[in-house]
Amino acid sequence: LANPTVRIKGKETTPGLGKEDAGKRIGLHQEDQQLAWLARKGEQHGFYPLKVQITRPGFLRGQKTKNGNTYPLKVLTVQFDGLIAVTDADNLVRTVEKGIGSAKSLGCGLLSLARA
């Protein structure tokens, strides 16, 4: 289960978002964007996706408290199922230990691996 997101850069002109949104994370809702996210993460963390499908798209909902104020929390989630090729075993082991992507504290980014 993952939370595929990108961070908005200061000069980025994303429709509906301005410079005041710089640094915020936005969810990637399109399947091609989600698969590209997984490929980028794989390159960083020692694997390459070979055959992957996306299942269980949805949202985690909850609340976040900051400075005494409570805010609604809505986190995009998808589950990636499929085959990967290991390109750097040591890096992948560290990734399995630490998780991948954002929202790890909410249970996202945990990897389950098995031999094909």
Side-chain angles (χ1 to χ4, degrees):
L1 191 65
N3 172 232
T5 62
V6 292
R7 189 177 297 274
I8 300 169
K9 296 179 182 171
K11 297 178 183 176
E12 189 171 344
T13 55
T14 304
L17 301 172
K19 284 189 175 188
E20 67 277 3
D21 294 310
K24 290 183 182 178
R25 289 189 180 279
I26 57 172
L28 300 174
H29 295 270
Q30 303 298 319
E31 187 171 311
D32 61 332
Q33 294 174 330
Q34 294 167 349
L35 293 170
W37 176 89
L38 183 63
R40 283 192 309 276
K41 292 299 178 181
E43 188 174 315
Q44 295 169 1
H45 298 290
F47 68 90
Y48 180 80
L50 295 173
K51 183 179 179 183
V52 176
Q53 65 181 4
I54 295 173
T55 60
R56 294 181 20 180
F59 293 92
L60 292 175
R61 297 176 195 277
Q63 296 179 340
K64 178 179 182 175
T65 302
K66 183 175 181 180
N67 299 329
N69 297 316
T70 302
Y71 303 93
L73 184 65
K74 182 177 171 184
V75 177
L76 170 72
T77 61
V78 298
Q79 181 171 315
F80 295 103
D81 293 311
L83 297 172
I84 63 169
V86 177
T87 57
D88 182 342
D90 292 335
N91 192 357
L92 183 57
V93 167
R94 285 190 299 276
T95 301
V96 169
E97 292 171 349
K98 293 182 179 182
I100 189 171
S102 57
K104 290 185 285 291
S105 64
L106 300 173
C108 293
L110 304 175
L111 300 175
S112 299
L113 303 176
R115 290 189 185 272

